[in-house]
């Protein structure tokens, strides 16, 4: 940790998806962030185009996926402290 403080080693930059959700216990790679965010948008658009769901799902599905990822991060933090 002291290497980071003194500037000898640069911290690896986390993907923006992980930074926006303030994930502390899950370490997602860039590929997983793309799959979770853009994949959920693509799936919602595809479902809306095939008229399986209404167009309200397009903004709601990525929000639901992000909330599940954040919930998983909170559960991982709880289990890390107690286990």
């Amino acid at each position: 940790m002291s290497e980071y403080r003194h500037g000898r080693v640069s911290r690896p930059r986390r993907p923006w998806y992980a930074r926006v959700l303030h994930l502390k216990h899950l370490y997602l790679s860039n590929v997983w962030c793309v799959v979770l965010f853009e994949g959920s948008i693509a799936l919602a658009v595809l479902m809306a185009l095939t008229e399986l769901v209404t167009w309200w799902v397009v903004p709601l599905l990525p929000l639901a996926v992000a909330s599940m990822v954040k919930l998983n991060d909170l559960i991982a933090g709880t289990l890390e402290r107690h286990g």
Side-chain angles (χ1 to χ4, degrees), residues 3 5 7 10-11 13 18-19 21 27 30-31 36-37 40 46 49 53-54 58 61 66 75-76 78 80-81:
E3 292 86 13
R5 289 185 193 147
S10 63
R11 287 188 180 182
R13 185 147 180 163
R19 283 184 278 145
L21 293 177
Y27 299 99
N30 290 330
V31 174
L36 289 172
F37 181 67
S40 63
L46 185 64
L49 285 173
V53 295
T54 63
V58 175
L61 187 63
I75 291 171
T78 303
E80 185 177 282
R81 275 185 266 151

Side-chain angles (χ1 to χ4, degrees), residues 17-61:
Y17 190 71
R19 283 184 278 145
V20 167
L21 293 177
H22 300 288
L23 300 179
K24 296 176 184 161
H25 305 284
L26 296 179
Y27 299 99
L28 300 175
S29 67
N30 290 330
V31 174
W32 276 113
C33 290
V34 168
V35 167
L36 289 172
F37 181 67
E38 293 180 10
S40 63
I41 292 174
L43 179 66
V45 168
L46 185 64
M47 288 170 46
L49 285 173
T50 58
E51 296 182 356
L52 292 173
V53 295
T54 63
W55 283 97
W56 284 101
V57 172
V58 175
L60 291 180
L61 187 63

